[in-house]
Amino acid sequence: MTRAADPAISDEELMVRVREQNDQDAFAVLVSRHQQNLLNYFVRSGVQYDGEDLVQQTFLRIFRYRNRYVPSAKFTTFLLLVARQVWLDELRKRKRRERGEVPMPEEPVDAPVQQDVSDTQHVENRQDVLRLLETLPDGLRQVIVLGVFEERPYAEIGRILGIPEGTVKSRMFHALARMREFLQNDESGSPMKGKEK
Amino acid sequence: MTISEHLNEFSSGDREDFLSLVNRLRSLSMPAVSPQLTDRILAAVKCEAERDETPSRHFLPSAFSSYRFRKWMSRAAILVLLLALAASILWKSGDPTSPLPNDLDWIASLQEQDGSWSPSRAGGCEAYRPALTALAALALASRDPASDTVQSACRALISMQQNDGSFGQKGRVQSYNQSITAFALAALLPTHNGLRPALEKAVNRIAYEQTQSGGWDYEDGSQGNTALTAWNVRMLSLAERQGIAEARLPLRKGLRWLRNVMHDNGTVVYHRGGQISQSESLRALTAHAFLTAGASFDGLPLLGKRIIRELSSSSSESKPADSYRDYAKVIAFRAAGERTEADTVRKAWHPNAKADTWGEIGGRLYSASLFALADAR
């Protein structure tokens, strides 16, 4: 184990080493510590199959902008701030491509494997939750991703999204209320039923 | 405040609903990262770090942007204008299609004062000025990469780039200009490090234009076409080798896209899901991309060779002149180590801009540049 891999060394200390000494061992530790969380962030944000590419882009940007890291800031805040930018760039790119685009079949998130009953339920549940998240526009969805999944304090979410803490709070309420409404409609039939009349 | 504290602020009915919702959301299982991800990320970072350590050499010393220099330039501009006028009169008196003893000298003689090449002066279309300048510069660089003409062409290419990293006017021509010009920037970078910022911008632009499925196309709303994707993949591979870390991801996605347009029997399609293309240039370019850009990816060079095997049996002799096709075949055969086949195509190739399939677009400058480039090693 290299010195950088010592679990007692904090993310912030490692990032300072990256910033001051271009320490690639320290960066490797940061990558191994946070790549899974970052992939989770992108999947929950709505990435279907390019999650790992976005994880790579995020770490590359972190390294490129290492001099902008302020040691007093939490590393994970810095990481999510950059990840958010990467995700926004991806969304812009998609939006541009979606104008008049014919949808192509996409690669599945999970490799097709033989499933037993409990696996099937697991996948169904997963699809349900993803469908639930899809009901939210990105602004509300990000609050859920950071607040519910990542369990970040609202003040930190505000810093990452560039909005006041009060707005985080109201968005959280609206996101939860909207998902509840969707579930209520879903359980009583298609949520589109009312609109089809 | 956290979500738990926030939930406590709601009425009991809302709190129960939202708590159950939060628990349901948190039950979402996540895919695990692939075992190669860390290595991929660290390789990209290493690439970036090495780039940082490379000393930068700029084309233009700071003195070139000084007031004195600009004043001198404005006086020189009048002289240049007069010379250009004289040159154009002389030019009109000659035959633009007449053969010259050496095509490279002929290409050099057509260079404009600003370092670019004007396609319309050799029977081509002006909208392709960036691409034709790029091809001419590459052709001349094959003889002497440090020559004044190439230096001047590099400056012209930089000046033609727009703020968003693109080249050429908006629309269909832009994709073509972008691919060819970015390819030239990447190929010229080893001897002209001042091109690096322009190349980075061009790569970013190309990455931005990439479709979700990994291809590129002339038209918005398409998932990509094979020719443009092959050019971009070749360019990104060159850029990556020059330390442009941003090239890595779009390159991988582009190769994946190309793999999906190839059939197991060595044929390719122009659009994913479309009919098998009979275009030899398309097959040759795809093969070249697999053999060069895909060299470090398992199986891709073999696919390239499979395409080449199909290409070997077909002859171009009885077909219309097509400098683009012949160029693509020569470089593909060479990349596959099929020297005899490459030499056969090369010997049978007689650049003829008037009869060339692409004559009206690129004119003689296009065919002459590709002819010279096919000899470049």
Side-chain angles (χ1 to χ4, degrees), chain B residues 34-229:
Chain B
S34 61
Q36 304 85 8
L37 181 61
T38 312
D39 289 343
R40 254 170 50 200
I41 294 170
L42 295 178
V45 166
K46 192 170 175 233
C47 196
E48 180 87 5
E50 280 166 3
R51 194 193 69 172
D52 288 350
E53 284 160 15
T54 311
S56 176
R57 283 179 283 133
H58 296 286
F59 275 107
L60 295 173
S62 56
F64 276 46
S65 56
S66 67
Y67 171 71
R68 187 179 288 181
F69 179 73
R70 287 199 301 272
K71 193 174 167 188
W72 179 85
M73 279 295 287
S74 61
R75 286 176 185 167
I78 299 166
L79 182 64
V80 167
L81 201 66
L82 291 171
L83 284 171
L85 191 66
S88 69
I89 293 165
L90 285 172
W91 173 251
K92 278 173 189 168
S93 64
D95 176 7
T97 59
S98 63
L100 287 169
N102 182 322
D103 271 322
L104 286 174
D105 288 338
W106 178 79
I107 291 170
S109 75
L110 280 189
Q111 190 175 30
E112 305 286 335
Q113 286 296 329
D114 66 358
S116 72
W117 275 263
S118 168
S120 59
R121 280 185 62 187
C125 171
E126 202 55 31
Y128 294 98
R129 193 180 188 112
L132 267 291
T133 297
L135 288 174
L138 278 176
L140 291 171
S142 68
R143 180 168 64 181
D144 179 7
S147 66
D148 288 347
T149 45
V150 178
Q151 289 275 358
S152 172
C154 288
R155 283 193 291 272
L157 289 174
I158 291 172
S159 71
M160 279 189 262
Q161 190 173 36
Q162 286 142 37
N163 288 337
D164 62 2
S166 64
F167 288 91
Q169 57 189 250
K170 293 259 180 279
R172 197 178 164 83
V173 295
Q174 195 169 62
S175 303
Y176 183 85
N177 279 318
Q178 186 72 15
S179 294
I180 307 281
T181 312
F183 181 82
L185 294 177
L188 293 168
L189 187 67
T191 43
H192 302 278
N193 201 40
L195 291 172
R196 186 172 288 278
L199 176 60
E200 282 173 348
K201 279 167 75 177
V203 165
N204 283 331
R205 182 72 202 172
I206 281 174
Y208 177 76
E209 296 286 348
Q210 190 171 30
T211 65
Q212 255 184 279
S213 57
W216 286 266
D217 207 336
Y218 296 104
E219 311 289 350
D220 260 2
S222 162
Q223 285 292 318
N225 83 54
T226 306
L228 199 58
T229 303

Side-chain angles (χ1 to χ4, degrees), chain A residues 24 27-28 31-32 35-36 39-40 43-44 49-50 52-53 55-57 59-60 63-64 66 90 93-94 96-102 104-107 109 122 125-126 128-130 132-133 144 147-149 151-155 165 169 172-173 176-177 179-180 183-184 187, chain B residues 1-4 6-7 9-10 13-14 17-18 21-22 24-38 40-42 44-46 48-53 205 207-214 216-217 219-223 245-246 248-249 252-253 256 260 272:
Chain A
Q24 289 185 41
F27 198 74
V31 170
S32 64
Q35 58 183 357
Q36 180 67 60
L39 180 65
N40 295 351
V43 172
R44 288 162 180 158
Y49 63 88
D50 278 343
E52 292 200 350
D53 289 350
V55 171
Q56 182 173 331
Q57 274 183 43
F59 277 115
L60 199 57
F63 187 79
R64 186 168 304 149
R66 59 195 179 279
E90 177 68 16
K93 197 169 153 183
R94 286 183 183 191
R96 194 174 168 280
R97 286 282 155 210
E98 273 165 12
R99 288 201 293 264
E101 194 171 60
V102 181
M104 291 284 289
E106 291 179 342
E107 296 169 35
V109 177
H122 178 77
N125 184 42
R126 179 184 160 75
D128 282 349
V129 175
L130 287 173
L132 196 55
L133 285 169
I144 292 290
V148 173
F149 293 109
E151 298 183 64
R152 303 272 153 194
Y154 284 12
E165 190 177 344
K169 207 172 161 183
M172 180 64 81
F173 171 77
L176 291 170
M179 283 190 288
R180 176 173 63 180
L183 281 175
Q184 283 165 353
E187 277 154 17
Chain B
M1 173 178 277
T2 61
I3 178 72
S4 312
H6 191 187
L7 288 176
E9 288 184 3
F10 296 119
D14 280 348
D17 285 353
F18 291 159
L21 192 50
V22 163
R24 188 166 180 176
L25 289 172
R26 284 179 178 160
S27 70
L28 175 66
S29 63
M30 286 290 118
V33 294
S34 61
Q36 304 85 8
L37 181 61
T38 312
R40 254 170 50 200
I41 294 170
L42 295 178
V45 166
K46 192 170 175 233
E48 180 87 5
E50 280 166 3
R51 194 193 69 172
D52 288 350
E53 284 160 15
R205 182 72 202 172
Y208 177 76
E209 296 286 348
Q210 190 171 30
T211 65
Q212 255 184 279
S213 57
W216 286 266
D217 207 336
E219 311 289 350
D220 260 2
S222 162
Q223 285 292 318
E246 292 90 340
R248 189 177 294 260
L249 273 178
R252 213 160 46 81
K253 288 167 79 173
R256 191 170 65 192
N260 286 331
R272 202 145 89 167

Side-chain angles (χ1 to χ4, degrees), chain A residues 3-197:
Chain A
R3 209 172 140 245
D6 182 350
I9 300 180
S10 70
D11 291 343
E12 289 71 24
E13 284 172 273
L14 290 169
M15 191 58 209
V16 169
R17 283 189 200 179
V18 175
R19 197 189 73 164
E20 305 294 337
Q21 302 155 28
N22 282 349
D23 186 338
Q24 289 185 41
D25 286 340
F27 198 74
V29 177
L30 288 171
V31 170
S32 64
R33 280 186 193 173
H34 296 284
Q35 58 183 357
Q36 180 67 60
N37 279 344
L38 211 47
L39 180 65
N40 295 351
Y41 166 80
F42 285 120
V43 172
R44 288 162 180 158
S45 293
V47 176
Q48 292 194 31
Y49 63 88
D50 278 343
E52 292 200 350
D53 289 350
L54 298 184
V55 171
Q56 182 173 331
Q57 274 183 43
T58 306
F59 277 115
L60 199 57
R61 280 198 204 179
I62 292 273
F63 187 79
R64 186 168 304 149
Y65 301 128
R66 59 195 179 279
N67 291 333
R68 295 189 194 171
Y69 175 69
V70 184
S72 58
K74 262 179 88 175
F75 172 73
T76 47
T77 307
F78 182 57
L79 182 73
L80 285 168
L81 204 64
V82 176
R84 169 78 182 143
Q85 266 314 312
V86 168
W87 175 234
L88 282 176
D89 290 348
E90 177 68 16
L91 281 179
R92 272 187 217 112
K93 197 169 153 183
R94 286 183 183 191
K95 207 170 241 178
R96 194 174 168 280
R97 286 282 155 210
E98 273 165 12
R99 288 201 293 264
E101 194 171 60
V102 181
M104 291 284 289
E106 291 179 342
E107 296 169 35
V109 177
D110 301 306
V113 288
Q114 211 168 10
Q115 294 165 337
D116 61 21
V117 177
S118 62
D119 276 346
T120 312
Q121 282 166 352
H122 178 77
V123 170
E124 276 173 8
N125 184 42
R126 179 184 160 75
Q127 295 306 327
D128 282 349
V129 175
L130 287 173
R131 201 156 56 96
L132 196 55
L133 285 169
E134 276 167 19
T135 62
L136 303 176
D138 187 59
L140 298 185
R141 185 168 178 158
Q142 284 297 314
V143 170
I144 292 290
V145 170
L146 296 169
V148 173
F149 293 109
E150 301 279 333
E151 298 183 64
R152 303 272 153 194
Y154 284 12
E156 191 185 340
I157 299 173
R159 277 197 296 278
I160 293 167
L161 300 181
I163 53 177
E165 190 177 344
T167 309
V168 175
K169 207 172 161 183
S170 66
R171 282 192 190 179
M172 180 64 81
F173 171 77
H174 287 300
L176 291 170
R178 192 188 276 219
M179 283 190 288
R180 176 173 63 180
E181 191 188 344
F182 175 82
L183 281 175
Q184 283 165 353
N185 284 330
D186 202 35
E187 277 154 17
S188 62
S190 163
M192 297 300 289
K193 265 186 179 171
K195 292 180 183 176
E196 284 168 358
K197 282 177 186 173

Side-chain angles (χ1 to χ4, degrees), chain B residues 247-268:
Chain B
R248 189 177 294 260
L249 273 178
L251 168 64
R252 213 160 46 81
K253 288 167 79 173
L255 280 167
R256 191 170 65 192
W257 189 94
L258 275 183
R259 171 65 191 95
N260 286 331
V261 294
M262 186 196 155
H263 291 196
D264 288 342
N265 60 2
T267 53
V268 295

Side-chain angles (χ1 to χ4, degrees), chain B residues 242-296:
Chain B
Q242 307 303 333
I244 308 291
E246 292 90 340
R248 189 177 294 260
L249 273 178
L251 168 64
R252 213 160 46 81
K253 288 167 79 173
L255 280 167
R256 191 170 65 192
W257 189 94
L258 275 183
R259 171 65 191 95
N260 286 331
V261 294
M262 186 196 155
H263 291 196
D264 288 342
N265 60 2
T267 53
V268 295
V269 294
Y270 190 60
H271 285 110
R272 202 145 89 167
Q275 297 286 316
I276 290 171
S277 169
Q278 298 304 317
S279 163
E280 288 183 290
S281 41
L282 201 61
R283 280 186 274 156
L285 274 177
T286 309
H288 189 262
F290 284 149
L291 289 163
T292 54
S296 55

